[in-house]
Amino acid sequence: MIGILVFLLVVLTSLIVNHVTRSTLRRRGVQVRATCVNQVRGSDGKYRIHMEYVDTDGATVRKVLGTIYKAPPVSLYAETDIVYDPEGRRAPLFSVDAYGGKWAPVWIAVVSTLTVLTTLALFA
């Protein structure tokens, strides 16, 4: 039962972090057209996508996206929309990822409920 509780707490934490990151980008992010300039495959076999774009100050910026992929979701030198944080506190995301996640609050509520029920069953 403790294992289930720990698992639920890890899932809940990861859902909340993901939701906060997306919410922050939706609130203060800037959407721009970016070019995929590199796809680096790590030792874990997953890809880090490097994007290049022009920020609001007119400077050319290269950043690694905040999501790691099993397969590159965009071709090398292809253009796509991304959302970046002009304050540089969050890694950029593809626009579809930044504006997605509408079900996150529902999942957070479900996992929270399961966590509370598990805790009550364990300690009551």
Side-chain angles (χ1 to χ4, degrees):
M1 203 63 141
I2 296 262
I4 293 171
L5 181 59
V6 170
F7 173 76
L8 288 171
L9 288 171
V10 168
V11 169
L12 182 60
T13 301
S14 118
L15 283 169
I16 291 170
V17 167
N18 188 299
H19 180 62
V20 168
T21 299
R22 287 178 193 224
S23 295
T24 301
L25 276 176
R26 279 194 296 268
R27 195 173 51 255
R28 71 171 177 230
V30 176
Q31 183 170 323
V32 294
R33 197 81 178 149
T35 304
C36 175
V37 292
N38 201 358
Q39 301 169 338
V40 178
R41 187 174 185 175
S43 59
D44 58 359
K46 296 183 179 176
Y47 290 86
R48 279 92 179 145
I49 308 300
H50 299 243
M51 301 297 287
E52 184 175 278
Y53 57 92
V54 177
D55 68 9
T56 53
D57 296 329
T60 300
V61 179
R62 277 190 185 202
K63 291 267 185 166
V64 178
L65 291 180
T67 306
I68 299 169
Y69 298 92
K70 290 181 183 178
V74 63
S75 302
L76 200 55
Y77 305 114
E79 287 189 353
T80 188
D81 292 326
I82 65 166
V83 177
Y84 77 93
D85 179 359
E87 295 177 17
R89 294 183 184 165
R90 305 270 185 221
L93 294 175
F94 287 118
S95 292
V96 294
D97 293 335
Y99 296 117
K102 302 291 185 198
W103 286 94
V106 173
W107 285 111
I108 290 170
V110 167
V111 175
S112 296
T113 303
L114 290 174
T115 302
V116 168
L117 292 174
T118 303
T119 303
L120 290 175
L122 189 61
F123 296 111

